[in-house]
Amino acid sequence: MKTNKYLVVAVTVIVSMLSVNCSDDSSPSVDYSGTYVLQDQMARPAINTVFIASGAPKDAFNVAIPSQMGSAYQGIFQSRLLALNAGYTTNALGLDAAAFTGILATDVLNVKTSGTTTFFDGTNVLTGRALADDVIDVELLLIFGGPAGTSNPTLTSDNVNANDKTFSNSFPYLASAW
């Protein structure tokens, strides 16, 4: 009986060693050949989701060249903005519907290489995005808040006012996993 136990342990150890050492991963090769398809353009969170309908328009938007997005989609964005907020005149940035949706329709994330990088802090607008930026609240404020940002107060916040975890002080600065 003891011999069988030792035999089982020995076989288990040998099989484990062989399965761990089956390949030489010291220089893994990565194959980048093939066809890649852009599935979703989402530089500014929720903008594509809210302003472009699913199906053919969204598929076309997702493969549009950013420099051509504004002229191709501004009218669609404006139509949707006015459907969401029929009372829209200007927003906290002083932009009327055409100007605001022209910016939104070009769905790129601008990044300022010097100075403040933020989605919107009251002074700096779309100069990038910091992890702590409350992007959804900013977007809701600009869509529903009116010229002073105080119109429709129940529609200008998602009421999620902080991240559930503290961001790290070292790269990549993300909060730790649960």
Side-chain angles (χ1 to χ4, degrees):
M1 191 71 157
K2 275 187 165 181
T3 307
N4 285 341
K5 285 182 184 178
Y6 292 121
L7 182 60
V8 169
V9 170
V11 169
T12 303
V13 169
I14 292 170
V15 169
S16 297
M17 290 174 62
L18 289 174
S19 64
V20 168
N21 295 315
C22 285
S23 66
D24 177 17
D25 290 334
S26 60
S27 59
S29 62
V30 179
D31 181 10
Y32 291 107
S33 64
T35 303
Y36 296 92
V37 178
L38 182 61
Q39 294 295 318
D40 204 6
Q41 263 187 97
M42 189 81 59
R44 296 186 193 118
I47 296 300
N48 178 342
T49 304
V50 170
F51 288 95
I52 298 290
S54 62
K58 186 172 284 297
D59 293 342
F61 182 82
N62 284 331
V63 296
I65 297 168
S67 63
Q68 297 172 356
M69 288 174 154
S71 60
Y73 293 96
Q74 182 276 326
I76 294 169
F77 274 59
Q78 183 171 338
S79 209
R80 182 74 174 159
L81 172 66
L82 297 175
L84 291 168
N85 183 3
Y88 186 95
T89 55
T90 61
N91 62 19
L93 301 176
L95 300 173
D96 65 14
F100 181 47
T101 56
I103 291 170
L104 293 181
T106 304
D107 192 16
V108 296
L109 182 59
N110 302 321
V111 178
K112 187 173 185 179
T113 57
S114 62
T116 303
T117 301
T118 184
F119 201 72
F120 176 71
D121 65 5
T123 305
N124 299 286
V125 181
L126 302 176
T127 59
R129 181 176 174 202
L131 284 174
D133 287 349
D134 196 341
V135 175
I136 301 300
D137 273 10
V138 170
E139 291 170 349
L140 291 171
L141 176 84
L142 295 176
I143 292 167
F144 296 108
T150 56
S151 302
N152 304 306
T154 58
L155 298 176
T156 57
S157 177
D158 61 5
N159 296 308
V160 177
N161 298 320
N163 199 39
D164 59 342
K165 296 266 192 164
T166 305
F167 293 114
S168 167
N169 290 326
S170 59
F171 185 81
Y173 307 107
L174 301 173
S176 61
W178 292 279

